[in-house]
Amino acid sequence: MNLINEWTRKLRYHPYEKWGKDYQDQLNKTVNQSIWRLDYHIQPVTGLLNDPNGFTFFNGKWHLFYQFYPFGPVHGLKSWFHLTSTNLVDWKEEGIRLLPDSLYDSHGVYSGSALAIDDQLLLAYTGNVRNADWERSTYQLGAYMDKKHQINKMETPLVSGPPKGYTTNFRDPQVIFYQDHYLMIIGAQTTEEKGEVLLYKSKDLKDWQFLGPLNFTQQSLGFMVECPNLIFIDQQAVLIFCPQGLDKNELSYQNIYPNTYVIGQSFDERNRTIEHTSPIHNLDSGFDLYATQAFNAPDGRALSISWIGLPELSYPTDQEGWAHCLSIVKELKIKDGQLLQQPVAEQKNLRYKKTALLGDIQNIQNLMANNETNRYELNLNLQEDSRGSLYLFADSDNSHYLALHFDAVHGKIELDRKQLRYPLNKDFGQTRAVTLENHQSIDLQIFADQSVCEIFVNQGRHVFTTRVFPETHDTGIFLAGTTGAYTGDFWTLRSAR
């Protein structure tokens, strides 16, 4: 039995229980044979993963869900897949937890959040419903999960539809406890097709009062805002969101849709404002990050995780019956008015064997001649006069690779995918660059995992996230340049599977 090549609407919305065992067995076999399966990033068992959902701490464990379509690498009838962890690194697959099986989510369980309420976990999500003419209705829904992971959906919606003046592009609720009540933050589109973030309030998680749009910028937000998350860091308000169709005169970006943030001095609920906000910034400087979910954890940290993938784009694993993954978990901090994103401390639990690195940057050299797999952490400090390129996922003669070009003298760093063995979404450009301070050393912390690479620059002031699809022997790490020196560590990492 072959996998499906042409996905009709009928197939995408075929009921879960009607998919045959033979097809599912063949899909599992094909996915498991992929050379691009990951060792410590979250990936779908089969089919498509997209937005992270319900990231929280409950009953002594970290909980995470992702939006899931099990039967192919396409957007179809969505559910939520559940994972748990004790350390934010090793994730146990708990299975599908929210199914599209009710009147209000019959055509898809869409994205949302989670909040621990006493001995239960509230799951707030968007239900998608289509009528016979394929016209959409959207509902903001609630369900409670108990300590044994049993789900009880609420009989009526939290919010039964978009307010007047807004379209059914109304989704991705984040529910938070604020002072003595609850707030719900929702992405929306006006009937004039302008993106906004909406704010609701409730005392009891049942009756929700519409407060209005959240005011946090004078910039236009394109035609739709997805995945808004309001968090607080050092008493400052941070809003992370995905504005679709954002004018590139408002923010310079190259991805089909950006993942962005603003930092404000404070949050004023009465006036629905985030006060004294920064301009809109790109959250990630790479090619493939979207739909970040962040929350204030009980231990005081602000944590985030993101979808590594983008809407409407294709990737080589589409031919193998699976698509996309999630980023490693990051801790968010604010320093000198800038958002820093750093791997959580628990990420060190993956470290297995260390090799110290030291040398001058000249000509070309193989940093790790005996490296056999793209599963590692590479930390490099490049001196303030360094100029050159770092080549990752490289073949033996360094003709196919992912390149990171750096110039510490002029404060430039660029991620370059032009020489990948399998080119990716070339219509959106093959390079991404950021500007650094001149004549300053450059710190790099790089996580490679078979077909994904996350690069943290200068303690998380910038992050580049990218997919890359090498052959199994493309494990070279080369460094070439004209001036400067480097020190660092290379860590082989254990699998989290």
Coordinates of all heavy atoms in Angstrom, one line a residue, residues 106-147:
S106 N -16.1 19.7 15.8 CA -16.3 18.5 14.9 C -15.3 18.6 13.8 O -15.0 17.5 13.2 CB -17.7 18.5 14.4 OG -18.0 19.7 13.7
H107 N -14.8 19.7 13.4 CA -13.9 19.9 12.3 C -12.5 20.3 12.7 O -11.7 20.8 11.9 CB -14.5 20.8 11.2 CG -15.6 20.2 10.5 ND1 -16.9 20.0 11.0 CD2 -15.7 19.7 9.2 CE1 -17.7 19.5 10.1 NE2 -17.0 19.3 9.0
G108 N -12.2 20.1 14.0 CA -10.8 20.3 14.4 C -10.7 20.9 15.8 O -11.4 21.9 16.1
V109 N -9.8 20.3 16.5 CA -9.4 20.9 17.8 C -8.2 21.8 17.5 O -7.1 21.3 17.3 CB -9.0 19.8 18.8 CG1 -8.4 20.4 20.1 CG2 -10.3 18.9 19.1
Y110 N -8.4 23.1 17.6 CA -7.4 24.0 17.2 C -6.6 24.5 18.5 O -6.9 24.1 19.6 CB -7.9 25.2 16.4 CG -8.2 24.8 15.0 CD1 -8.3 23.5 14.5 CD2 -8.3 25.8 14.0 CE1 -8.5 23.2 13.2 CE2 -8.5 25.5 12.7 CZ -8.6 24.2 12.3 OH -8.9 23.9 11.0
S111 N -5.7 25.4 18.3 CA -4.7 25.7 19.4 C -5.3 26.4 20.6 O -6.4 27.0 20.5 CB -3.6 26.6 18.8 OG -2.8 25.8 17.9
G112 N -4.6 26.3 21.7 CA -5.0 27.0 22.9 C -3.9 26.8 24.0 O -2.8 26.5 23.7
S113 N -4.4 26.9 25.3 CA -3.5 26.9 26.4 C -4.0 26.0 27.5 O -5.0 25.4 27.4 CB -3.3 28.3 26.9 OG -4.6 28.8 27.3
A114 N -3.2 26.0 28.6 CA -3.6 25.2 29.8 C -3.3 26.0 31.0 O -2.4 26.8 31.1 CB -2.9 23.8 29.8
L115 N -4.1 25.7 32.1 CA -3.9 26.4 33.4 C -4.4 25.4 34.5 O -5.5 24.9 34.4 CB -4.8 27.6 33.4 CG -4.6 28.5 34.7 CD1 -3.2 29.1 34.7 CD2 -5.7 29.6 34.7
A116 N -3.5 25.2 35.4 CA -3.8 24.3 36.6 C -4.8 25.0 37.5 O -4.6 26.2 37.9 CB -2.5 24.0 37.3
I117 N -5.9 24.3 37.7 CA -6.9 24.8 38.6 C -7.2 23.8 39.7 O -7.8 22.7 39.4 CB -8.3 25.1 37.9 CG1 -8.0 26.0 36.7 CG2 -9.3 25.7 38.8 CD1 -7.7 27.5 37.0
D118 N -6.7 24.0 40.9 CA -6.8 23.0 42.0 C -6.2 21.7 41.5 O -5.0 21.6 41.1 CB -8.2 22.9 42.5 CG -8.7 24.2 43.0 OD1 -7.9 24.9 43.6 OD2 -9.9 24.5 42.8
D119 N -7.0 20.6 41.5 CA -6.5 19.3 41.1 C -6.9 18.9 39.7 O -6.9 17.7 39.4 CB -7.1 18.2 42.1 CG -8.6 18.2 42.1 OD1 -9.2 19.0 41.5 OD2 -9.1 17.2 42.7
Q120 N -7.2 19.9 38.9 CA -7.5 19.7 37.5 C -6.7 20.6 36.6 O -6.2 21.7 37.0 CB -9.0 19.8 37.2 CG -9.8 18.8 37.9 CD -11.3 19.0 37.5 OE1 -11.8 18.2 36.6 NE2 -12.0 19.9 38.1
L121 N -6.6 20.3 35.3 CA -5.9 21.1 34.4 C -6.9 21.6 33.4 O -7.6 20.8 32.7 CB -4.8 20.4 33.6 CG -3.9 21.2 32.7 CD1 -3.1 22.2 33.5 CD2 -3.0 20.3 31.9
L122 N -7.2 22.9 33.3 CA -8.1 23.5 32.3 C -7.4 23.6 31.0 O -6.3 24.1 30.9 CB -8.5 24.9 32.8 CG -9.3 25.7 31.7 CD1 -10.7 25.1 31.5 CD2 -9.4 27.2 32.1
L123 N -8.0 23.0 30.0 CA -7.5 23.1 28.6 C -8.5 24.1 27.9 O -9.7 23.8 27.7 CB -7.5 21.8 27.9 CG -6.7 20.7 28.6 CD1 -6.8 19.4 27.8 CD2 -5.3 21.0 28.9
A124 N -7.9 25.2 27.4 CA -8.7 26.2 26.7 C -8.3 26.1 25.2 O -7.1 26.2 24.9 CB -8.6 27.6 27.2
Y125 N -9.2 25.9 24.3 CA -8.8 25.7 22.9 C -9.9 26.2 22.0 O -11.1 26.5 22.4 CB -8.6 24.3 22.6 CG -9.7 23.3 22.7 CD1 -10.4 22.9 21.6 CD2 -10.2 22.9 24.0 CE1 -11.5 22.0 21.7 CE2 -11.3 22.0 24.1 CZ -11.9 21.6 22.9 OH -13.0 20.7 23.0
T126 N -9.6 26.3 20.7 CA -10.6 26.8 19.7 C -11.1 25.5 19.0 O -10.4 24.6 18.5 CB -9.9 27.7 18.6 OG1 -9.4 28.8 19.3 CG2 -10.9 28.1 17.5
G127 N -12.5 25.5 18.9 CA -13.2 24.4 18.2 C -13.5 25.0 16.8 O -14.1 26.1 16.7
N128 N -13.3 24.2 15.8 CA -13.6 24.5 14.4 C -14.7 23.7 13.9 O -14.7 22.5 14.0 CB -12.3 24.3 13.6 CG -12.4 24.9 12.2 OD1 -12.8 26.0 12.0 ND2 -12.1 24.1 11.2
V129 N -15.7 24.3 13.3 CA -16.9 23.6 12.8 C -17.2 24.1 11.4 O -17.1 25.3 11.1 CB -18.1 23.9 13.7 CG1 -19.4 23.2 13.2 CG2 -17.8 23.3 15.1
R130 N -17.6 23.2 10.5 CA -18.0 23.6 9.1 C -19.4 23.1 8.9 O -19.7 22.0 9.2 CB -17.0 23.0 8.1 CG -15.5 23.4 8.3 CD -15.3 24.8 7.6 NE -13.9 25.1 7.6 CZ -13.4 26.1 7.0 NH1 -14.2 26.9 6.2 NH2 -12.1 26.4 7.0
N131 N -20.1 23.9 8.1 CA -21.5 23.4 7.7 C -21.4 22.8 6.3 O -20.3 22.6 5.8 CB -22.5 24.5 7.8 CG -22.2 25.7 6.8 OD1 -21.4 25.5 5.9 ND2 -22.8 26.8 7.0
A132 N -22.5 22.4 5.8 CA -22.6 21.7 4.5 C -22.0 22.6 3.4 O -21.5 22.0 2.4 CB -24.0 21.4 4.2
D133 N -22.0 23.9 3.5 CA -21.4 24.8 2.5 C -20.0 25.2 2.8 O -19.4 26.0 2.2 CB -22.3 26.1 2.4 CG -23.7 25.8 1.9 OD1 -23.8 24.9 1.0 OD2 -24.6 26.4 2.4
W134 N -19.4 24.5 3.8 CA -18.1 24.6 4.2 C -17.8 26.0 4.8 O -16.7 26.6 4.9 CB -17.0 24.4 3.1 CG -15.7 23.8 3.7 CD1 -14.5 24.5 3.6 CD2 -15.5 22.6 4.4 NE1 -13.6 23.7 4.2 CE2 -14.2 22.5 4.7 CE3 -16.4 21.6 4.7 CZ2 -13.6 21.5 5.4 CZ3 -15.8 20.5 5.4 CH2 -14.4 20.4 5.8
E135 N -18.9 26.6 5.4 CA -18.7 27.9 6.1 C -18.3 27.6 7.5 O -18.8 26.6 8.1 CB -20.0 28.7 6.1 CG -20.5 29.1 4.7 CD -21.9 29.6 4.7 OE1 -22.7 29.1 5.4 OE2 -22.2 30.5 3.8
R136 N -17.4 28.4 8.0 CA -16.8 28.1 9.3 C -17.5 28.8 10.5 O -17.9 29.9 10.4 CB -15.3 28.5 9.3 CG -14.6 28.3 10.7 CD -13.1 28.3 10.6 NE -12.6 29.5 9.9 CZ -11.4 29.7 9.5 NH1 -10.5 28.7 9.7 NH2 -11.0 30.8 8.9
S137 N -17.5 28.1 11.6 CA -17.9 28.7 12.9 C -16.7 28.3 13.9 O -16.2 27.2 13.8 CB -19.2 28.1 13.4 OG -20.3 28.4 12.6
T138 N -16.4 29.3 14.7 CA -15.3 29.0 15.7 C -15.9 29.3 17.1 O -16.6 30.2 17.3 CB -14.1 29.9 15.4 OG1 -14.5 31.3 15.4 CG2 -13.4 29.5 14.2
Y139 N -15.4 28.4 18.0 CA -15.8 28.5 19.4 C -14.6 28.4 20.3 O -13.6 27.7 20.0 CB -16.8 27.4 19.8 CG -18.0 27.3 18.9 CD1 -18.0 26.5 17.8 CD2 -19.1 28.0 19.2 CE1 -19.1 26.5 16.9 CE2 -20.3 28.0 18.4 CZ -20.2 27.2 17.3 OH -21.3 27.1 16.4
Q140 N -14.5 29.2 21.4 CA -13.5 29.1 22.4 C -14.0 28.1 23.5 O -15.0 28.4 24.1 CB -13.1 30.4 23.0 CG -12.8 31.5 21.9 CD -11.9 31.0 20.8 OE1 -10.9 30.3 21.0 NE2 -12.2 31.4 19.6
L141 N -13.4 27.0 23.6 CA -13.9 25.9 24.4 C -13.0 25.6 25.6 O -11.9 26.0 25.6 CB -14.0 24.6 23.5 CG -14.8 24.8 22.2 CD1 -14.8 23.5 21.4 CD2 -16.3 25.2 22.5
G142 N -13.6 24.8 26.5 CA -12.9 24.4 27.7 C -13.1 22.9 28.0 O -14.1 22.3 27.6
A143 N -12.0 22.3 28.5 CA -12.1 20.9 29.0 C -11.2 20.8 30.2 O -10.3 21.6 30.4 CB -11.6 20.0 27.9
Y144 N -11.6 19.9 31.1 CA -10.8 19.6 32.3 C -10.1 18.3 32.2 O -10.8 17.3 31.8 CB -11.6 19.7 33.6 CG -11.9 21.1 34.0 CD1 -13.2 21.7 33.7 CD2 -10.9 21.9 34.6 CE1 -13.5 23.0 34.1 CE2 -11.2 23.2 35.0 CZ -12.5 23.8 34.8 OH -12.7 25.1 35.1
M145 N -8.8 18.2 32.5 CA -8.1 17.0 32.5 C -7.7 16.7 34.0 O -7.2 17.5 34.7 CB -6.8 17.0 31.7 CG -6.1 15.7 31.6 SD -4.6 15.7 30.6 CE -3.5 16.5 31.7
D146 N -8.0 15.5 34.5 CA -7.7 15.1 35.9 C -6.3 14.6 36.0 O -5.6 14.5 35.0 CB -8.8 14.2 36.5 CG -8.8 12.8 35.8 OD1 -7.8 12.4 35.2 OD2 -9.8 12.1 35.9
K147 N -5.9 14.2 37.2 CA -4.6 13.7 37.4 C -4.3 12.4 36.7 O -3.1 12.0 36.6 CB -4.3 13.6 38.9 CG -4.3 14.9 39.6 CD -4.0 14.8 41.1 CE -4.0 16.1 41.8 NZ -3.7 16.0 43.3

